[in-house]
Amino acid sequence: MIFLLTTVVLAYGSASAATLYRTDYAKFSGHVVDNESGKPVPRAAIYIAETESDFFKPPRKYKDEVPDYDSDASNRVFSREAANRYLFLMADDNGEFTTVWRHDAIYGVLSDKQELKTIAFVVAAQGYSERICSYKTTVENKVFVTSDEPHKLSDNPLPPIEIEKGSVRTLAPSPIFASLLRTRYPKAPTGAARDLYLKAENAFAKKKYEESIRFYKESLKITPDQPLALLMLIDAYYVSGEIEKTIEMGERYVELYPEIGFAHKIIADAAFNKGDMILNKKHLVKAMQLDLEFRHTYFDLCRLDGRYTRTPEGWLRPLAIWK
């Protein structure tokens, strides 16, 4: 899928009234620690929403999932009783996580737009209580994508999320399933570079990998380091069996574009084929946090380390989100 940042006007109620929608993206990084010792809590289960009440609301569709001709979209699917969809992921072995949050700014012509004000968490781990922790964004006016280049997201570090041992509470947010989410890909190249990119994609689909690599490279001569063409070139190297080159180019890619989960998945697969399970796990965790939609990321991670399947009683297990 491609990131799109759009401003669309949909009429509703009457011809004189309108609601505007803009999709923003923000990147959040944080870590989960023990309340008493301050030590990291590995593999903590995390739900993310915008407010505490959003955990228990029905999900709202995003603007780019609603046809423009749907005249009553603002009332029916952007109801204030619904909430921006929330993510479920897990912290790594050091209690750290990074993820990209998608937000629909909804506002009327005569009113202020509803920018992201807070981000909220439900965090739990084996032996700990489940509780909601709310934080305001810590980098004001710098966390949103303001162009069609989502790989330029600003990092937004959060204060430590502290959880307490012992007490047990029943707090199970309504589950969200991977089928309701969208894989985040960068935009495709334009102009002459796009023509070559499409030739490469066509060759890749026909399993003519050497030919696809040649066209991806020609496209990248016109637009060096173009994020989607470069990503697909790395994927072509992987499926053609050039494992070392895949890892080398993949590591450079995630330095340039660290928010693209698919790049981490390619590196993880290449590392698995090389037999480097440490590198494999590192990038599987990153791919899982950035792109929940990658079904096999969770499967591969849970086969590698079964501790990633251990969630508190009553919580949705990671592998259940695709049922």
Side-chain angles (χ1 to χ4, degrees), residues 4-8 20-24 63-64 104-105 107:
L4 292 176
L5 211 63
T6 57
T7 300
V8 179
L20 284 74
Y21 306 92
R22 188 188 74 202
T23 302
D24 294 333
K63 168 62 202 78
D64 50 10
D104 264 332
Y107 52 104

Side-chain angles (χ1 to χ4, degrees), residues 12-45:
Y12 74 99
S14 67
S16 62
T19 299
L20 284 74
Y21 306 92
R22 188 188 74 202
T23 302
D24 294 333
Y25 294 86
K27 184 179 72 171
F28 292 102
S29 299
H31 60 285
V32 183
V33 299
D34 181 271
N35 184 53
E36 293 185 3
S37 68
K39 293 182 179 179
V41 178
R43 297 171 298 279

Side-chain angles (χ1 to χ4, degrees), residues 32 39-45 90-96 124-126 128 307-308:
V32 183
K39 293 182 179 179
V41 178
R43 297 171 298 279
M90 300 188 80
D92 65 15
D93 289 349
N94 298 312
E96 298 178 353
Q126 290 293 317
Y128 288 82
R307 292 173 295 179
Y308 278 87

Side-chain angles (χ1 to χ4, degrees), residues 61-294:
K61 285 190 176 183
Y62 291 105
K63 168 62 202 78
D64 50 10
E65 296 172 355
V66 179
D68 290 344
Y69 57 77
D70 195 340
S71 61
D72 66 341
S74 57
N75 272 336
R76 192 163 50 79
V77 292
F78 290 102
S79 166
R80 300 306 191 271
E81 296 303 314
N84 275 321
R85 291 170 180 164
Y86 56 87
L87 295 179
F88 168 73
L89 52 90
M90 300 188 80
D92 65 15
D93 289 349
N94 298 312
E96 298 178 353
F97 68 91
T98 297
T99 195
V100 175
W101 183 255
R102 181 178 174 184
H103 170 75
D104 264 332
I106 307 173
Y107 52 104
V109 173
L110 302 177
S111 62
D112 294 334
K113 56 183 176 292
Q114 297 180 350
E115 291 185 336
L116 185 62
K117 303 293 185 184
T118 61
I119 200 78
F121 300 87
V122 171
V123 184
Q126 290 293 317
Y128 288 82
S129 64
E130 298 129 87
R131 69 191 191 97
I132 292 178
C133 310
S134 298
Y135 296 109
K136 292 183 179 179
T137 54
T138 58
V139 186
E140 294 182 3
N141 302 322
K142 294 181 181 179
V143 297
F144 300 114
V145 174
T146 56
S147 71
D148 60 356
E149 297 180 292
H151 55 272
K152 292 186 177 180
L153 282 169
S154 299
D155 193 17
N156 188 17
L158 297 159
I161 300 174
E162 299 180 353
I163 57 175
E164 301 170 355
K165 285 185 177 179
S167 60
V168 176
R169 291 176 52 193
T170 302
L171 183 61
S174 301
I176 185 166
F177 297 93
S179 60
L180 298 177
L181 299 171
R182 285 188 165 203
T183 303
R184 291 178 288 268
Y185 284 100
K187 285 180 67 71
T190 59
R194 178 178 175 81
D195 295 337
L196 291 165
Y197 170 80
L198 292 176
K199 289 181 179 180
E201 290 282 274
N202 184 55
F204 189 100
K206 295 178 179 178
K207 299 184 179 181
K208 298 179 179 179
Y209 301 125
E210 290 185 4
E211 183 178 335
S212 71
I213 289 171
R214 178 166 58 83
F215 282 124
Y216 284 132
K217 285 184 174 179
E218 290 182 12
S219 177
L220 286 163
K221 287 180 182 178
I222 301 173
T223 54
D225 291 338
Q226 202 285 329
L228 188 59
L230 184 57
L231 179 65
M232 294 299 102
L233 172 61
I234 296 168
D235 195 27
Y237 275 123
Y238 170 66
V239 296
S240 64
E242 299 206 36
I243 302 302
E244 293 288 353
K245 194 172 188 68
T246 299
I247 295 173
E248 178 185 350
M249 292 184 65
E251 293 282 21
R252 175 178 174 271
Y253 185 93
V254 296
E255 288 181 2
L256 291 171
Y257 312 117
E259 294 83 26
I260 308 302
F262 186 44
H264 293 280
K265 182 65 168 72
I266 296 171
I267 299 170
D269 290 345
F272 180 86
N273 279 274
K274 184 183 176 183
D276 188 339
M277 306 314 291
I278 295 176
L279 186 65
N280 171 248
K281 180 178 177 179
K282 171 187 172 182
H283 287 285
L284 281 177
V285 171
K286 291 294 293 184
M288 173 267 295
Q289 292 182 355
L290 290 167
D291 281 292
L292 182 66
E293 301 91 330
F294 291 136

